[in-house]
Amino acid sequence: MKIAIMGAMVEEVDPFLSAGEHEPLLRYFSKHEDLEYAGNTYHLARYKDLEIVLAYSKIGKVYSALTAATMLEHFGCEMLLFTGVAGAVDPELKIGDLVAATKLCQHDLDITAFGHPHGYVPEGKIYIEADRELLHIAKEVADEKGIDLKGGIIATGDQFIADPERKEWIARTFDADAIEMEGASVAVVCDAMKVPFFVLRAISDAADMDAAFDFDEFLKHSSQVSSSFIMAMLEKINNSVSR
Ligand code: ADE
């Protein structure tokens, strides 16, 4: 089975690739090679019985949709796992906590002038649901590791939110638990192509006045938390395909 692993920023996928204070997760992979395609670098590797295509897209909905579509269409990935960080909307979520998207929406998609609800365009849908089987695998991993994994609604938009009012509006309008800038666009691509996907985010900030500072401070640590969890899921996925 061929699996896409993607993040938006180099820091979000770095734990798989480079040796910082932690060993790179990719040390578990063999036959690692890099390919350039459509302005981006794709790392091709093998992890046990799985073929892996790993990349970061750059920030935002357009770049992430391009990378996701490339991974599925050009590289033939049959499943996509997204790893990265998010701003907390749910006040219970603290820095480093993990959120698995049960469904995702675009908070900045707005044709309300034509009487449509926020996040909706004709022939689209407000929420895209993540794959249930992958959510189930994530829950098993969390239970085994004693990790408190929250399933929640992730709202995506081409804005870094550092404003309590905008955050409250997103919370009210979409019942969102966390906000970021790529999940829903990746979800749209995977949903359209009928490829199962999973979006995991570790909290880096509270999308408030301190968000930019906290983001810089916790990006690396929260990226490591998210990547390690994805690695544990990969182990479980490998065990289920090679059985
Ligand atoms: N990703 C991490 N924190 C974020 C925030 N506050 N707004 C948008 N995307 C984010």
Side-chain angles (χ1 to χ4, degrees), residues 92-229:
E92 299 278 296
L93 286 170
K94 304 296 174 218
I95 284 164
D97 286 354
L98 282 169
V99 185
T102 51
K103 51 186 188 172
L104 303 101
C105 58
Q106 298 180 61
H107 67 73
D108 60 350
L109 186 57
D110 183 349
I111 55 164
T112 54
F114 298 92
H116 294 294
H118 284 282
Y120 178 81
V121 290
E123 298 181 54
K125 42 192 171 186
I126 299 180
Y127 295 102
I128 312 273
E129 295 194 5
D131 184 69
R132 277 166 191 261
E133 184 56 31
L134 287 172
L135 282 166
H136 179 71
I137 291 172
K139 187 172 180 333
E140 282 181 350
V141 168
D143 288 349
E144 281 165 23
K145 292 189 172 292
I147 292 171
D148 187 15
L149 175 70
K150 183 181 169 72
I153 296 176
I154 289 187
T156 301
D158 282 328
Q159 299 161 348
F160 183 85
I161 308 294
D163 170 4
E165 267 181 40
R166 176 74 187 163
K167 171 168 102 162
E168 287 314 316
W169 180 86
I170 293 169
R172 260 198 329 275
T173 309
F174 296 100
D175 199 20
D177 296 289
I179 37 185
E180 37 82 306
M181 301 178 68
E182 298 83 17
S185 39
V186 169
V188 168
V189 169
C190 293
D191 187 57
M193 295 185 186
K194 299 194 171 27
V195 169
F197 72 93
F198 177 77
V199 176
L200 183 71
R201 297 284 188 169
I203 298 301
S204 57
D205 59 85
D208 55 11
M209 305 300 248
D210 298 326
F213 178 85
D214 288 343
F215 181 88
D216 282 345
E217 184 76 11
F218 298 109
L219 170 62
K220 213 169 154 191
H221 173 72
S222 294
S223 295
Q224 181 74 42
V225 170
S226 181
S227 299
S228 299
F229 193 93

